[in-house]
Amino acid sequence: MFATQRRGLDPGRLLLSFLLLAAWEAGSGQVRYSVPEEAKHGTFVGRIAQDLGLELAELVPRLFRMASKGGGDLLEVNLQNGILFVNSRIDREELCGRSLECSIHLEVIVERPLQVFHVEVEVKDINDNPPVFSLREQKLLISESKQPDSHFPLEGASDADIGENAQLTYRLSQNEYFSLELPTNSKQIKRLSLILKKSLDREKTPELNMLLTAADRGKPELTGTVQLSVRVLDTNDNDPEFEQSEYKVRLMENADKETLVIRLNATDRDEGVNGEVTYSLTSVKPNGKRLFTLDENDGEVRVNGTLDYEENKFYEIEVQATDKGNPPMAGHCTVLIEILDANDNAPEVTVTSLSLPVPEDTQPSTVIALISVSDRDSGANGQVTCSLMPHSPFKLVSTFKNYYSLVLDGTLDRESVASYELVVTARDGGSPSLWATASVSVEVGDVNDNAPVFAQPEYTVFVKENNAPGCHIFTVSARDADAQENARVAYSLVERRVGERALSSYVSVHAESGKVFALQPLDREELELLQVGVSARDAGAPPLGSNVTLQVFVLDENDNAPALLPPPPPSPWAPPGWPGGAGGGAGVVSQRVARWVGAGQVVAKVRAVDADSGYNAWLSYELQEAASGAASGGARSAFRVGLYTGEISTTRALDEADAARQRLLVLVRDHGEPALTATATVLLWLEDGGPAPKASSRRVVGPAAAAEAALVDVHVYLVVAICAVSSLLVLTLLVYTALRCSAPRGEGACVPGQARLVCSSAVGSWSSSPRRRRLRQQRQRVCSGEGPPKADLMAFSPSLPPGVDKEVGEERQGAGSNHPGQGT
């Protein structure tokens, strides 16, 4: 009784077995069980796990669950042993009414992978409902003139059970006048009636009470009783008679109120008031008396309510025709009304087991949701087809009658479409058809398939040296197209060596904001370019990342004062008697000068160097004062200093009146803002000695005369070249400034983008220092790429005060290509 039903091996059933086997292999199977109604809690129904081919150990890990359509929690499964058992009271009459077939349809769902099984549990009827009469007492009016064998219809009992449990037999209590005529079939077309066995005598027996017992054929037998009260009437001895004892009518369920069902006609052979007939409804089964009305005068039966095929498909109306005799006589007929189905119920759509969100890397053919449809109509009106809109990477797959699976039919990309709004439309086969929709919102889950991306592969940043420690110099930002944790970007420094130190000792980057900070003051004299690598990595699993490079250029500030260099030693090739250098430390120049030196002769030189670059390293020289031990008061100074060469030369010919010891103070100034200075002391000792050279328009003393004479001819070309290069530099700076202003501004110290650097020409004035040249040999070149180390050059067009042009020209003959602030 509780086992799975076995099917025979005849051809029809064999074909059905193959179909069921194919459905089982597709992930859906059907198992049938049976259970009696009113079974106690815990009653064994079947070994559902074993019958479905599932291992007991898989039930919990695979999230075994069971859903019942319309069955509530009547049945339950023990996950420990896989047994289906009764969980609560099952009332077949409440569940299925008087339907001959009553089943509980179960959906068994397991995941990993998702499988759906359909289980049908047939509820067997037991004899738990006794026969019931609608009235406690049935009254019959019978004329004494009735002849024996007259029939008097009785209202039978009804039994809520089915089958044999609802097949009724009747017994009449012992009496001498009446016997029972029983129905001949289950439809009770031949009604239950009393048969008069002998004529009645009202004067002898005016009333007769009997007990009618109805018993079903169940085991054990249940009974119901009704009291029959017979009143014997006198005289009027003809009953009203209908043309037929039974009428059959078909009626659409959507019939309007007051629709005529049938017009009944009963005749009475009596005359006068004994032949006048009125009609009345005695009963409408099942419980449909309020749905129909009967006109008591003309016998018209009309619709009085809303008929529903899905609620009741058949009505049985008992009509009584009663004459107006005294006593009145009655005739009876039955109207059988068959209700025809109309397409008045739209399909119903139910979405279950919706697995959200759906990861974007989900493989095609994965089941996303289960969809069931139903229609309360019958025939073509209840046949439902489903469709899916709009076009999307999903499709509907029919798994069983009125059951569908929502299946992934393509690839997903959350960055393109984050969610899908699907509409499942169920349409029946009626005319016109009815339809219903259900919306399914499918959210696409993110997976980490996008690395963070910077707006540019490289940024250029300018930072002034001597910055405050911890200052913000730039902010990097990377965008990740993923979501949530997969889009949360963390920034870090790509560690490398910068000379002898680690990059992390210079800069740091904030992990969340991407802000880059300078950890210490930068010194351009030590480091001109700092390449900073920043990595952006998301929080996905596994994480993805990308890198960006910051080219940090350190801008020069005037933070180094000019430094004086010691004078060079005397030339080894100086002729006998030539005054040589007297030595001295840095900042003090001591020189012996012959008295016969004429005007315009270079007698000494102050050498200085500035560790800065550009204009901050461009040096100029000024003579602060000229003093000697025996200088004559008010006399014009006999010496001057070259503005950019630092060379001390005579302004006139020396004579005996000049003091033997001359003390000069030379102020060395750079061109920074603010300018920094240094002071050099020049001591000149005038001595007699050595032959006087021949007079010339310009006398040059010492072995440098040959070099100065060689430069006289090229000096003009040098000045022209300096002016041309300086003009080109100004034009380049103007173009660079215009490009920077037109570009979009970014966050940080400069506009993001490829920096344009202007390199000076080798022609023109320049500044350098031995220390800077040594440092540059260890650094990456900014303008010259990967070539050999070069000294920084700066082209400029010096602005000279009026009257000094001639002096500068003369001084450059002795300076050659030297820096204006450095001696040879």
Side-chain angles (χ1 to χ4, degrees):
M1 179 176 182
F2 302 103
T4 304
Q5 294 184 358
R6 305 294 183 183
R7 301 195 178 273
L9 295 179
D10 58 80
R13 293 186 178 181
L14 184 60
L15 176 60
L16 180 59
S17 300
F18 285 137
L19 293 177
L20 289 176
L21 179 59
W24 183 279
E25 292 176 349
S28 305
Q30 185 173 17
V31 177
R32 292 179 58 90
Y33 300 104
S34 62
V35 63
E37 65 172 330
E38 305 295 341
K40 295 182 180 181
H41 173 77
T43 300
F44 174 88
V45 178
R47 300 185 180 276
I48 188 169
Q50 177 180 344
D51 296 337
L52 293 179
L54 300 176
E55 297 293 335
L56 295 181
E58 295 179 340
L59 299 185
V60 174
R62 293 188 64 184
L63 302 180
F64 180 98
R65 59 188 184 276
M66 183 179 68
S68 172
K69 183 176 180 182
D73 58 347
L74 300 178
L75 301 172
E76 190 57 62
V77 175
N78 187 332
L79 298 182
Q80 302 299 322
N81 52 27
I83 292 177
L84 179 68
F85 63 91
V86 176
N87 187 46
S88 59
R89 175 179 175 266
I90 302 176
D91 188 348
R92 185 190 183 283
E93 288 72 30
E94 179 181 348
L95 188 64
C96 301
R98 297 187 59 82
S99 177
L100 294 179
E101 295 182 3
C102 183
S103 299
I104 300 175
H105 296 276
L106 304 176
E107 283 184 5
V108 177
I109 303 170
V110 292
E111 297 184 359
R112 303 170 187 170
L114 181 64
Q115 289 182 285
V116 181
F117 303 92
H118 297 277
V119 178
E120 183 177 348
V121 179
E122 181 183 4
V123 180
K124 296 290 187 179
D125 182 54
I126 65 172
N127 193 26
D128 59 337
N129 292 281
V132 177
F133 291 91
S134 61
L135 300 173
R136 293 184 179 180
E137 182 181 18
Q138 295 189 27
K139 295 181 179 181
L140 290 87
L141 302 176
I142 301 177
S143 174
E144 64 177 347
S145 61
K146 287 290 183 182
Q147 298 299 317
D149 295 329
S150 297
H151 289 65
F152 304 97
L154 297 177
E155 182 178 353
S158 61
D159 195 320
D161 297 321
I162 62 171
E164 291 186 354
N165 297 329
Q167 294 180 8
L168 304 181
T169 58
Y170 296 88
R171 299 190 297 272
L172 187 64
S173 60
Q174 188 68 32
N175 68 92
E176 61 178 311
Y177 292 102
F178 295 97
S179 63
L180 280 179
E181 183 181 57
L182 300 177
T184 58
N185 54 49
S186 59
K187 293 185 178 180
Q188 299 185 357
I189 300 301
K190 187 174 182 180
R191 289 186 50 78
L192 177 67
S193 302
L194 283 177
I195 301 177
L196 184 63
K197 294 190 295 183
K198 69 177 184 177
S199 299
L200 296 172
D201 186 357
R202 187 190 65 83
E203 287 71 21
K204 181 180 179 180
T205 310
E207 290 186 356
L208 183 64
N209 294 318
M210 298 170 289
L211 185 66
L212 178 62
T213 301
D216 59 27
R217 296 183 179 180
K219 295 181 180 180
E221 177 187 89
L222 299 178
T223 62
T225 60
V226 64
Q227 185 74 28
L228 300 180
S229 177
V230 179
R231 181 182 175 187
V232 181
L233 303 179
D234 195 23
T235 63
N236 189 20
D237 56 355
N238 287 290
D239 298 330
E241 294 181 358
F242 289 94
E243 296 175 352
Q244 298 176 217
S245 62
E246 184 176 280
Y247 298 87
K248 294 182 178 181
V249 180
R250 290 186 175 185
L251 190 63
M252 293 296 297
E253 65 171 324
N254 56 0
D256 296 330
K257 191 175 182 180
E258 300 297 329
T259 298
L260 177 64
V261 178
I262 192 172
R263 185 190 297 271
L264 299 174
N265 184 33
T267 58
D268 195 315
R269 289 180 297 172
D270 293 327
E271 294 182 348
V273 293
N274 292 332
E276 297 179 4
V277 178
T278 59
Y279 302 91
S280 62
L281 284 175
T282 59
S283 69
V284 179
K285 298 178 182 179
N287 298 326
K289 202 166 187 178
R290 59 181 177 80
L291 299 177
F292 302 95
T293 59
L294 174 63
D295 190 294
E296 65 177 7
N297 295 318
D298 57 19
E300 291 183 349
V301 179
R302 295 183 179 272
V303 177
N304 188 46
T306 302
L307 302 178
D308 190 353
Y309 172 86
E310 289 71 39
E311 183 176 343
N312 283 299
K313 301 176 179 61
F314 187 86
Y315 291 94
E316 182 180 322
I317 300 177
E318 299 293 336
V319 179
Q320 176 175 293
T322 306
D323 61 25
K324 296 182 179 180
N326 188 17
M329 302 295 292
H332 300 83
C333 76
T334 301
V335 180
L336 302 177
I337 301 177
E338 181 183 359
I339 305 300
L340 302 180
D341 182 48
N343 192 24
D344 58 345
N345 290 280
E348 297 178 359
V349 183
T350 304
V351 180
T352 60
S353 302
L354 186 60
S355 302
L356 293 177
V358 181
E360 60 181 320
D361 60 351
T362 301
Q363 296 299 316
S365 301
T366 300
V367 177
I368 307 302
L370 300 178
I371 299 172
S372 61
V373 295
S374 62
D375 195 312
R376 297 179 61 195
D377 295 321
S378 62
N381 297 331
Q383 294 178 359
V384 181
T385 57
C386 282
S387 60
L388 185 66
M389 291 293 290
H391 179 71
S392 64
F394 299 93
K395 67 177 180 179
L396 288 177
V397 177
S398 177
T399 59
F400 195 69
K401 181 182 179 182
N402 293 339
Y403 288 90
Y404 296 84
S405 295
L406 180 63
V407 177
L408 181 62
D409 193 35
T411 58
L412 300 176
D413 184 7
R414 191 203 65 83
E415 289 70 40
S416 299
V417 181
S419 63
Y420 293 88
E421 297 297 331
L422 305 179
V423 177
V424 179
T425 302
R427 189 178 299 273
D428 61 28
S431 180
S433 64
L434 300 179
W435 52 273
T437 61
S439 297
V440 181
S441 181
V442 180
E443 179 183 355
V444 181
D446 184 56
V447 298
N448 192 28
D449 56 349
N450 289 278
V453 177
F454 290 96
Q456 298 178 207
E458 183 178 282
Y459 294 91
T460 301
V461 182
F462 295 93
V463 179
K464 288 186 177 181
E465 65 174 333
N466 301 320
N467 55 282
C471 74
H472 172 225
I473 62 174
F474 195 71
T475 299
V476 295
S477 178
R479 180 183 178 276
D480 196 310
D482 294 320
Q484 299 177 352
E485 291 297 315
N486 295 331
R488 185 164 58 85
V489 179
Y491 303 92
S492 61
L493 200 64
V494 179
E495 187 63 271
R496 68 180 185 87
R497 304 295 297 180
V498 180
E500 300 298 327
R501 301 171 61 181
L503 177 63
S504 57
S505 65
Y506 288 95
V507 294
S508 67
V509 59
H510 192 273
E512 295 180 0
S513 65
K515 291 183 177 181
V516 180
F517 299 93
L519 298 180
Q520 63 181 14
L522 299 177
D523 186 359
R524 187 181 187 279
E525 287 69 45
E526 178 185 347
L527 186 66
E528 292 181 1
L529 172 63
L530 182 63
Q531 289 186 333
V532 179
V534 178
S535 173
R537 189 169 295 272
D538 59 32
L544 301 177
S546 61
N547 296 339
V548 71
T549 300
L550 301 183
Q551 299 282 359
V552 181
F553 288 91
V554 182
L555 302 179
D556 184 57
E557 286 191 338
N558 193 26
D559 57 345
N560 292 280
L564 297 170
L565 299 177
S571 295
W573 43 264
W578 174 257
V588 178
V589 177
S590 180
Q591 185 71 37
R592 290 178 292 170
V593 180
R595 282 189 177 274
W596 45 259
V597 172
Q601 300 299 313
V602 176
V603 297
K605 185 171 184 176
V606 176
R607 299 194 306 164
V609 69
D610 195 313
D612 295 320
S613 63
Y615 279 91
N616 296 329
W618 182 20
L619 304 180
S620 62
Y621 302 84
E622 301 175 15
L623 192 60
Q624 291 295 99
E625 63 175 312
S628 64
S632 59
R636 184 167 68 94
S637 174
F639 303 97
R640 67 181 179 186
V641 63
L643 181 60
Y644 299 109
T645 63
E647 294 175 342
I648 308 297
S649 61
T650 58
T651 59
R652 58 179 173 80
L654 301 179
D655 53 28
E656 296 297 333
D658 292 316
R661 180 178 179 272
Q662 298 285 336
R663 183 175 181 273
L664 305 177
L665 293 180
V666 179
L667 180 66
V668 184
R669 185 192 306 271
D670 60 25
H671 283 71
E673 290 292 341
L676 301 178
T677 62
T679 303
T681 302
V682 180
L683 299 178
L684 300 179
W685 303 89
L686 304 184
E687 297 179 350
D688 297 325
K694 294 181 180 180
S696 64
S697 60
R698 184 180 185 276
R699 294 177 292 174
V700 180
V701 180
E708 290 178 354
L711 291 176
V712 171
D713 295 332
V714 300
H715 181 66
V716 176
Y717 301 104
L718 179 61
V719 173
V720 173
I722 291 174
C723 293
V725 173
S726 298
S727 300
L728 180 61
L729 174 63
V730 172
L731 179 60
T732 305
L733 290 176
L734 290 176
V735 174
Y736 175 66
T737 304
L739 292 175
R740 281 175 58 89
C741 293
S742 62
R745 295 187 178 275
E747 186 178 2
C750 68
V751 177
Q754 187 65 33
R756 295 176 175 85
L757 302 180
V758 180
C759 300
S760 62
S761 172
V763 180
S765 299
W766 56 277
S767 63
S768 180
S769 68
R771 172 175 174 267
R772 287 167 60 82
R773 285 195 295 270
R774 288 193 302 270
L775 292 174
R776 287 189 179 93
Q777 292 175 358
Q778 302 174 4
R779 287 176 286 182
Q780 178 181 353
R781 297 297 88 205
V782 177
C783 298
S784 60
E786 300 298 330
K790 297 178 182 179
D792 289 347
L793 303 178
M794 180 191 70
F796 64 91
S797 178
S799 300
L800 302 179
V804 189
D805 295 342
K806 181 179 180 182
E807 296 177 4
V808 173
E810 295 173 353
E811 290 163 357
R812 286 186 176 168
Q813 290 181 1
S817 60
N818 292 336
H819 187 281
Q822 176 182 345
T824 56

